[in-house]
Amino acid sequence: MTRSMVLLAAIAALGCSGSTPGVSSLQRVAAERAIRAEVVAAYDFSRPDVPGNLMALYAPTGPIVSASGGRITTSRDSLRSGIEAFWTNVGSNMRDARVEWTAMHIDVLAPTIAVMTATYRIPHKQPNGLPHVIGGAWTAVFVSRGGHWYVVEEHLSDNPFAS
């Protein structure tokens, strides 16, 4: 069984149990707040070095699995290339862009494992001045290492009807 299948089975088992053994209310709230704050800060397009800010969400070592646009990326370098391509070809052309998190559900499954499913929209102006919105849904598995929550697996899906 692959690492991904084992992780998904563990998440499903914990999610179906109705309780999370070994996670106190204080741990749960702290993890939820930390993950939310890190995600919101990374997607603050007003900060310099957007690609670097986005990459800071991902574990600095070990495998990363990212599914988006019908493709799977399994290396940090490939993920960085994809993020930089998005920012060069799309993000840097968005004027007055801001990310609106329309929903963000964070489930703390263990003291060092959490999963987030969120929906977002990014209203902005195109270079020609016309308004436009992109958006989608994102599910990410986070692990806590050294007091920081990192994405180790994710799936993003675009919403073609965001605008």
Side-chain angles (χ1 to χ4, degrees):
M1 188 177 270
T2 68
R3 182 179 82 93
S4 297
M5 291 176 66
V6 170
L7 186 56
L8 288 174
I11 289 169
L14 286 169
C16 294
S17 69
S19 65
T20 310
V23 179
S24 71
S25 295
L26 185 60
Q27 287 173 311
R28 182 181 328 283
V29 168
E32 289 171 0
R33 285 183 182 162
I35 291 168
R36 183 179 307 274
E38 290 174 15
V39 167
V40 169
Y43 279 85
D44 179 352
F45 294 162
S46 69
R47 296 174 52 214
D49 189 20
V50 172
N53 297 336
L54 295 174
M55 280 303 298
L57 287 172
Y58 298 90
T61 60
I64 297 171
V65 178
S66 176
S68 177
R71 297 178 183 205
I72 296 175
T73 300
T74 59
S75 78
R76 187 171 178 78
D77 289 341
S78 296
L79 180 63
R80 178 184 303 281
S81 292
I83 288 173
E84 288 172 350
F86 163 78
W87 190 250
T88 299
N89 298 315
V90 178
S92 64
N93 292 310
M94 297 187 295
R95 306 291 181 255
D96 302 321
R98 69 186 185 288
V99 178
E100 298 173 351
W101 297 98
T102 54
M104 188 179 291
H105 304 277
I106 300 169
D107 292 319
V108 181
L109 305 175
T112 60
I113 301 172
V115 63
M116 177 198 76
T117 300
T119 54
Y120 61 91
R121 53 191 310 274
I122 306 172
H124 61 278
K125 290 184 181 150
Q126 298 177 68
N128 63 8
L130 293 175
H132 188 249
V133 179
I134 60 174
W138 178 31
T139 297
V141 176
F142 287 80
V143 296
S144 178
R145 296 181 186 158
H148 185 85
W149 288 90
Y150 295 106
V151 175
V152 293
E153 300 222 10
E154 69 178 349
H155 179 262
L156 293 105
S157 61
D158 294 333
N159 178 355
F161 307 107
S163 51

